[in-house]
């Protein structure tokens, strides 16, 4: 097992427990301001997740794990009510914040199960949530090692959205692979797409890599095809918000189009995510709920009424046949399918 203190490029922790509450790096304000918010209620946490103060499936899952501690505190304070009912009601509130990131539901469902055997739910849930955070960071480090092992010398990569430390407990999934590959001197060029409409690539991925002194080149989303046509990209490396049991994945909108382009141009596609991102009950992408956010996020303010509208899906689905490898902390799955995914359970 790799010790985190031995790593280069490992400086960012977006989710932590502080005093009696949750502390979140407000990612809406990056890169211009580095602001932390103290979250002391399940209502505030639910709103923070909805508003994208915290984002990225693993980070949302970690926030939800600590949210279970807040839920226990609130349920115990209501001495006249049944603890279990009050606890589950508050977990339901957190669960309703966003529909696609499966880590959210995996964390909350685990909290519902483990709390049943706890005599001191607040203290024991805090220990459990802290372990969930530590395990996520270690999983990302392992993902980075496995993923970097797929690269040759002078590899040129394109990453989409932000699947870095900001989207996880630390180190990152897709950016964990890039961090590990950079440390091994395997990379020739790193491209980051802008990732409209929230510009997570331009705002967050660039900020992350700059913090760690890793050179990166921003591209407009629409220029990826041209770079592939010119033979300037070897790998596309992305994270995931849900992985199905047949290897289909949901990730930031635009991932599917990049995978189609990659197939045409002979570019490989790597999906990097911990096993907490796997929906063990979803046999295929038909079971994935795609979040639709408000049209106001992409529609200019001067357009009002019903004549001009906008569609704003947050995620799209990339089928397994377009994915070269899925990398988890357990290893590399080449050409993922149902049989290979099922082997992770064993």
């Amino acid at each position: 097992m790799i010790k985190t203190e031995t790593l280069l490029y490992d400086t960012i922790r977006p989710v932590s427990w502080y005093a009696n509450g949750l502390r979140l790096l407000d990612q809406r304000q990056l890169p211009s301001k580095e602001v932390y918010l103290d979250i002391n209620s399940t209502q505030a946490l639910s709103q923070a997740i909805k508003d994208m103060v915290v984002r990225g499936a693993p980070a949302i899952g970690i926030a939800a794990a600590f949210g279970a501690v807040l839920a226990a505190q609130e349920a115990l304070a209501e001495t006249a009510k049944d603890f279990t009912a009050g606890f589950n009601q508050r977990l339901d509130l957190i669960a309703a914040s966003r529909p696609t990131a499966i880590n959210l539901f995996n964390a909350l469902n685990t909290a519902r199960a483990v709390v049943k055997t706890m005599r001191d739910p607040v203290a024991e849930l805090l220990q459990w949530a802290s372990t969930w955070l530590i395990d996520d960071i270690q999983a990302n480090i392992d993902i980075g090692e496995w993923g970097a092992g797929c690269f040759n010398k002078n590899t040129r990569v394109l990453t989409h959205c932000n699947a870095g430390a900001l989207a996880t407990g630390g180190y990152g999934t897709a950016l964990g692979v890039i961090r590990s590959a950079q440390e091994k001197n395997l990379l020739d060029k790193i491209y980051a797409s802008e990732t409209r409409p929230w510009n997570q690539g331009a705002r967050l991925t660039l900020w992350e890599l700059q913090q760690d002194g890793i050179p990166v080149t921003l591209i407009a989303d629409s220029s990826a095809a041209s770079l592939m046509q010119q033979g300037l990209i070897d790998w596309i490396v992305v994270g995931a918000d849900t992985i199905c049991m047949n290897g289909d994945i949901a990730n930031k909108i635009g991932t599917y189009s990049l995978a189609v382009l990659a197939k045409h141009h002979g570019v490989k596609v790597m999906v990097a995510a911990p096993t907490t991102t796997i929906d063990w009950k979803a046999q295929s992408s038909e079971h994935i709920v795609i979040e639709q956010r408000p049209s106001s996020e992409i529609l200019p303010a001067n357009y009002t009424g019903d004549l001009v509208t906008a569609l704003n899906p947050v995620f799209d689905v990339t089928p397994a046949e377009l994915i070269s490898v899925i990398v988890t902390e357990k290893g590399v799955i080449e050409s993922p399918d149902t049989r290979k995914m099922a082997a992770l359970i064993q």
Side-chain angles (χ1 to χ4, degrees):
M1 182 176 290
I2 300 169
K3 300 295 184 182
T4 58
E5 60 264 28
T6 66
L7 292 170
L8 297 174
Y9 316 129
D10 183 32
T11 61
I12 300 163
R13 295 289 183 269
V15 183
S16 59
W17 185 263
Y18 180 79
N20 291 315
L22 191 56
R23 177 160 286 184
L24 301 177
L25 176 58
D26 188 347
Q27 300 189 30
R28 303 167 301 177
Q29 302 197 49
L30 292 173
S32 58
K33 296 179 181 179
E34 191 171 334
V35 176
Y36 289 83
L37 301 181
D38 291 330
I39 305 296
N40 297 301
S41 70
T42 51
Q43 178 63 52
L45 176 58
S46 176
Q47 195 62 49
I49 295 172
K50 286 181 181 178
D51 293 344
M52 297 183 69
V53 171
V54 59
R55 32 69 54 199
I60 291 173
I62 294 163
F66 284 113
V69 183
L70 298 176
Q73 290 176 338
E74 293 170 0
L76 285 171
E78 294 182 338
T79 55
K81 293 186 178 181
D82 176 65
F83 170 80
T84 301
F87 179 74
N88 287 329
Q89 182 181 11
R90 286 166 173 81
L91 294 195
D92 290 343
L93 175 66
I94 299 171
S97 57
R98 297 193 71 183
T100 305
I102 198 63
N103 304 62
L104 171 67
F105 304 100
N106 285 342
L108 295 177
N109 289 337
T110 303
R112 294 181 203 273
V114 299
V115 77
K116 295 177 181 179
T117 62
M118 293 179 175
R119 294 186 177 182
D120 184 352
V122 173
E124 293 180 65
L125 280 170
L126 180 56
Q127 182 177 8
W128 165 78
S130 299
T131 301
W132 190 283
L133 168 61
I134 293 168
D135 287 349
D136 181 77
I137 297 171
Q138 184 60 54
N140 294 338
I141 294 166
D142 294 340
I143 288 167
E145 287 291 300
W146 286 112
C150 297
F151 295 160
N152 297 319
K153 189 78 170 177
N154 297 321
T155 294
R156 299 158 301 178
V157 302
L158 166 65
T159 189
H160 183 59
C161 193
N162 172 264
L166 291 170
T168 65
Y171 201 67
T173 52
L175 290 195
V177 172
I178 287 172
R179 283 182 165 97
S180 182
Q182 177 72 9
E183 188 169 355
K184 298 175 188 301
N185 198 29
L186 293 174
L187 300 181
D188 177 63
K189 195 77 172 180
I190 303 166
Y191 296 100
S193 60
E194 58 186 346
T195 322
R196 284 181 45 80
W198 275 77
N199 292 325
Q200 293 100 325
R203 292 190 305 106
L204 304 181
T205 293
L206 265 62
W207 181 84
E208 268 202 43
L209 296 181
Q210 182 186 52
Q211 299 305 301
D212 283 348
I214 299 175
V216 59
T217 299
L218 178 68
I219 65 167
D221 291 348
S222 55
S223 65
S226 177
L227 266 65
M228 291 187 224
Q229 187 181 51
Q230 296 173 65
L232 298 178
I233 298 174
D234 303 305
W235 280 89
I236 294 169
V237 184
V238 297
D241 286 78
T242 298
I243 300 176
C244 299
M245 289 305 297
N246 69 341
D248 294 347
I249 68 120
N251 194 49
K252 181 58 57 182
I253 190 74
T255 302
Y256 173 57
S257 59
L258 288 173
V260 172
L261 289 167
K263 187 75 169 180
H264 179 74
H265 292 97
V267 173
K268 295 180 179 180
V269 176
M270 176 186 295
V271 175
T275 52
T276 53
T277 304
I278 298 173
D279 187 342
W280 305 102
K281 297 179 181 179
Q283 295 304 309
S284 70
S285 59
E286 294 178 1
H287 297 87
I288 297 176
V289 177
I290 298 297
E291 178 182 358
Q292 301 286 334
R293 288 186 68 84
S295 61
S296 59
E297 291 183 351
I298 62 173
L299 198 63
N302 57 302
Y303 292 108
T304 59
D306 298 329
L307 186 61
V308 177
T309 61
L311 291 175
N312 189 17
V314 187
F315 307 100
D316 57 25
V317 169
T318 299
E321 59 263 28
L322 296 179
I323 298 170
S324 306
V325 296
I326 292 177
V327 183
T328 76
E329 71 273 21
K330 294 187 175 183
V332 178
I333 303 172
E334 298 183 0
S335 303
D337 58 24
T338 301
R339 178 183 62 81
K340 295 174 183 177
M341 292 298 299
L344 283 176
I345 303 175
Q346 301 174 359

